[in-house]
Amino acid sequence: MKKLGILIITFLLVASIFVSGCASNKENVSENGTGSEETTAITELNIGYQPSTHQIAYMTAAEKGWWKSDLAPYGITKINEYQFPTGAPEMQAMLAGDLDVAYVGAAPVITALSQGLDAKIVAPVQINGSSLVLRNEYKYESPQDLKGLTIATYPTGTIQDTLLRNWLQKNGLDPEKDVKILGMTSGDAITAISAKQVDAVFLPHPSPTVIEKEGNGRIIVQSGEMEANHACCVLVVSGKLIKEHPEIVEQIVKTHIKATEYNKEHMDEAAKIFANKTTEDLDTVKDSLKEWDGAWITDPALIEDSAVNYSKVQYELGYIPKSLTKEEIFDTSFYEKATSEK
């Protein structure tokens, strides 16, 4: 009897494992029926951003508590915020799987996608909005006046680096031989031009206005003059979140649209939110938003061609092995759903 009891218990344990395993496999079967992907509930989101006026939409949604309140119905109880100095390290973090969502320049996204990043741009954040600032002692009448100078900008593969090099080439200057380009963060570049260690900087706002107010240079070219209505910052979401939680991605896009529209209608408040978030002088932020040529937008159609063009430029510069298509860069379905429900 003792042996029989052991056999019965063993049988029941094996049966329970089998049934449990079947139930688990049934729940984890992916759309292609292979069971290779497991959909799990999530309670936290990791979001990356940069401290420029380009990305105030993220800051406003955070300040207003919209990320938490809008995503709570989908089980999200915590938003983990990560700040990056430029897009290059932000995309490295996303490649490592440390970010679910990123406010970042379109160009670093293209570089990362070429390196194997599983993600898509789901909405734009803004266009234009960077400026080339030259030290006051130099004259400027045409791009040729920059020959022989040292220019600080964001690191290789960023929006500013890609735009600057392409613009120089279009104007007959070799970015490798005719000028010296140094990759820096905004803070380091502001320090470098004030110390006369570089002759010019090409940075997103509000940094150009900061330099002007400190008397260390003047804006000579806006980024929209280099390429009209060019894509700049975008909203990127990981492929895992897109595949496993499309309802969360749609809400992220909705919240982004809400914050963008709010900022456009409340510019002074947007400036204050940015100043409080970054400790930047409020008057400087307001002046920057008057001075820049940027615009906050949410419709992907406005930047698709520009982003694809970045891909071609990065290929020509030798940054990526091949150009990417619009389909490889974008997933506009969430924007379309978000706006169709208005």
Side-chain angles (χ1 to χ4, degrees), residues 49-114:
Y49 78 103
Q50 296 164 49
S52 80
T53 51
H54 295 192
Q55 301 180 11
I56 301 182
Y58 167 76
M59 302 175 200
T60 295
E63 174 71 18
K64 297 288 186 183
W66 292 339
W67 293 121
K68 290 182 179 180
S69 63
D70 291 357
L71 293 168
Y74 304 94
I76 301 299
T77 59
K78 186 178 181 182
I79 303 294
N80 300 310
E81 173 186 293
Y82 298 91
Q83 186 183 113
F84 295 86
T86 69
E90 188 173 1
M91 285 299 90
Q92 288 304 309
M94 203 164 200
L95 275 162
D98 296 332
L99 293 179
D100 304 300
V101 182
Y103 277 74
V104 64
V109 177
I110 290 165
T111 304
L113 289 172
S114 296

Side-chain angles (χ1 to χ4, degrees), residues 33-296:
T34 63
S36 59
E37 297 208 11
E38 181 179 350
T39 300
T40 55
I42 59 171
T43 59
E44 299 183 16
L45 280 181
N46 296 334
I47 304 181
Y49 78 103
Q50 296 164 49
S52 80
T53 51
H54 295 192
Q55 301 180 11
I56 301 182
Y58 167 76
M59 302 175 200
T60 295
E63 174 71 18
K64 297 288 186 183
W66 292 339
W67 293 121
K68 290 182 179 180
S69 63
D70 291 357
L71 293 168
Y74 304 94
I76 301 299
T77 59
K78 186 178 181 182
I79 303 294
N80 300 310
E81 173 186 293
Y82 298 91
Q83 186 183 113
F84 295 86
T86 69
E90 188 173 1
M91 285 299 90
Q92 288 304 309
M94 203 164 200
L95 275 162
D98 296 332
L99 293 179
D100 304 300
V101 182
Y103 277 74
V104 64
V109 177
I110 290 165
T111 304
L113 289 172
S114 296
Q115 295 171 347
L117 176 65
D118 179 17
K120 288 288 191 295
I121 295 173
V122 295
V125 175
Q126 49 73 237
I127 54 172
N128 302 339
S130 298
S131 302
L132 181 61
V133 185
L134 184 66
R135 274 171 36 196
N136 294 317
E137 59 264 38
Y138 293 108
K139 71 176 182 68
Y140 181 82
E141 294 177 356
S142 74
Q144 289 296 321
D145 292 325
L146 301 174
K147 192 169 185 177
L149 301 187
T150 299
I151 306 172
T153 192
Y154 275 9
T156 300
T158 56
I159 287 286
Q160 288 72 26
D161 171 79
T162 303
L163 272 176
L164 178 62
R165 290 176 184 272
N166 190 47
W167 177 73
L168 289 170
Q169 286 182 332
K170 285 180 178 178
N171 285 279
L173 293 172
D174 186 331
E176 296 295 334
K177 297 177 181 178
D178 293 327
V179 298
K180 184 177 182 181
I181 298 176
L182 301 178
M184 296 185 184
T185 65
S186 285
D188 288 342
I190 291 171
T191 299
I193 196 169
S194 67
K196 298 188 177 182
Q197 295 169 344
V198 298
D199 306 306
V201 301
F202 182 49
L203 299 170
H205 276 261
S207 296
T209 304
V210 171
I211 295 167
E212 282 193 326
K213 277 184 166 288
E214 292 176 349
N216 295 317
R218 69 194 189 281
I219 292 174
I220 55 170
V221 181
Q222 302 278 26
S223 63
E225 297 175 70
M226 295 180 176
E227 182 184 319
N229 299 320
H230 67 83
C232 198
C233 290
V234 294
L235 179 59
V236 184
V237 177
S238 73
K240 181 178 175 65
L241 197 63
I242 288 172
K243 289 189 286 284
E244 297 187 2
H245 300 282
E247 73 287 352
I248 291 179
V249 179
E250 184 179 342
Q251 183 56 60
I252 287 170
V253 173
K254 287 180 179 178
T255 301
H256 167 64
I257 292 171
K258 177 168 67 173
T260 301
E261 294 306 313
Y262 186 88
N263 287 340
K264 288 160 72 174
E265 294 171 8
H266 304 85
M267 292 285 286
D268 284 349
E269 186 180 351
K272 188 174 181 180
I273 288 171
F274 179 84
N276 290 340
K277 187 78 171 175
T278 62
T279 69
E280 191 65 75
D281 175 70
L282 178 57
D283 288 337
T284 299
V285 178
K286 288 182 177 180
D287 288 344
S288 173
L289 291 174
K290 292 174 184 175
E291 188 173 57
W292 78 332
D293 67 341
W296 298 314

Side-chain angles (χ1 to χ4, degrees), residues 304-320:
E304 287 172 341
D305 290 344
S306 178
V308 171
N309 185 58
Y310 285 154
S311 174
K312 294 175 182 176
V313 171
Q314 287 198 357
Y315 172 70
E316 291 167 358
L317 289 170
Y319 289 174
I320 59 177

Side-chain angles (χ1 to χ4, degrees), residues 9-30:
I9 292 170
T10 302
F11 174 79
L12 291 172
L13 285 170
V14 171
S16 68
I17 292 170
F18 177 78
V19 171
S20 174
C22 285
S24 177
N25 286 337
K26 186 175 180 180
E27 290 172 356
N28 296 339
V29 170
S30 62

